[in-house]
Amino acid sequence: MVATLSQDQDRVLLQIGQVAAQSQVPIKTIRYYEELGLLKSSGRTEGKFRLFTPDTIKRITFIKRLQKLGLSLQEIAEILGVHDRGLAPCAEIKQQLEQQILEIDRRIAELMTLRGEINELLEDWTPPAKTTTKEICPILQKSESIAIQR
């Protein structure tokens, strides 16, 4: 079923299932985005199905792109809010992406530190001849007590 806006008979509206199929996003996600205010339906059919403009598919694609770049739905909502007020949100997007780079660099540094600690453990890895009931893995627990003393 295809619906049209009454004021503009040339403008086709899509049911939520059609939006889901075209955007390759589950209906549940579309409803969630609408609940968060990221999407707005343009009404409902007589059968109570949500209707959306074709622009909704572009908006969903934009949301998914920003998510892949690491932005949260809250950050995306703020960006879309700027757009919905008739302004170009490019400066806000740039700022968010710059913050994302800083966060990635921080996580890389943490992972490199962790990698070094694991390598250090593995270099001296000599399993004991027999186990005791006090320690689960003496090698790991010995290095743990050394790390605590530092």
Side-chain angles (χ1 to χ4, degrees):
M1 177 183 171
V2 175
T4 57
L5 290 172
S6 57
Q7 303 108 342
D8 183 1
Q9 293 298 319
D10 297 330
R11 193 149 174 209
V12 174
L13 295 177
L14 304 171
Q15 288 186 5
I16 194 168
Q18 294 168 305
V19 172
Q22 290 181 34
S23 66
Q24 299 179 342
V25 171
I27 290 173
K28 189 174 183 177
T29 301
I30 295 169
R31 287 185 185 130
Y32 182 61
Y33 287 173
E34 185 181 15
E35 183 181 316
L36 293 177
L38 300 173
L39 301 175
K40 292 178 181 59
S41 68
S42 297
R44 293 186 181 253
T45 66
E46 289 179 16
K48 304 294 181 198
F49 289 103
R50 290 172 174 86
L51 294 171
F52 296 91
T53 65
D55 290 343
T56 301
I57 294 159
K58 289 179 189 172
R59 194 167 173 116
I60 291 171
T61 302
F62 183 78
I63 292 167
K64 298 309 283 180
R65 175 77 171 126
L66 288 179
Q67 280 186 303
K68 285 181 182 176
L69 293 172
L71 273 62
S72 69
L73 290 176
Q74 175 63 40
E75 292 165 333
I76 295 168
E78 291 169 11
I79 289 166
L80 290 173
V82 171
H83 169 74
D84 292 344
R85 289 190 301 274
L87 303 171
C90 296
E92 287 80 1
I93 294 170
K94 182 178 186 242
Q95 181 181 7
Q96 290 294 340
L97 293 178
E98 288 169 344
Q99 288 298 317
Q100 192 64 9
I101 289 288
L102 293 174
E103 179 61 21
I104 289 167
D105 289 344
R106 185 192 64 75
R107 288 193 315 227
I108 288 171
E110 284 179 359
L111 289 171
M112 292 302 291
T113 300
L114 178 60
R115 186 179 200 281
E117 290 174 15
I118 292 172
N119 273 334
E120 211 174 287
L121 266 174
L122 293 174
E123 284 174 7
D124 300 331
W125 198 272
T126 309
K130 59 181 183 177
T131 59
T132 66
T133 57
K134 292 181 184 178
E135 296 175 318
I136 299 168
C137 178
I139 302 166
L140 191 59
Q141 289 172 299
K142 179 183 173 190
S143 65
E144 188 177 83
S145 65
I146 293 170
I148 292 172
Q149 292 173 359
R150 288 184 192 170

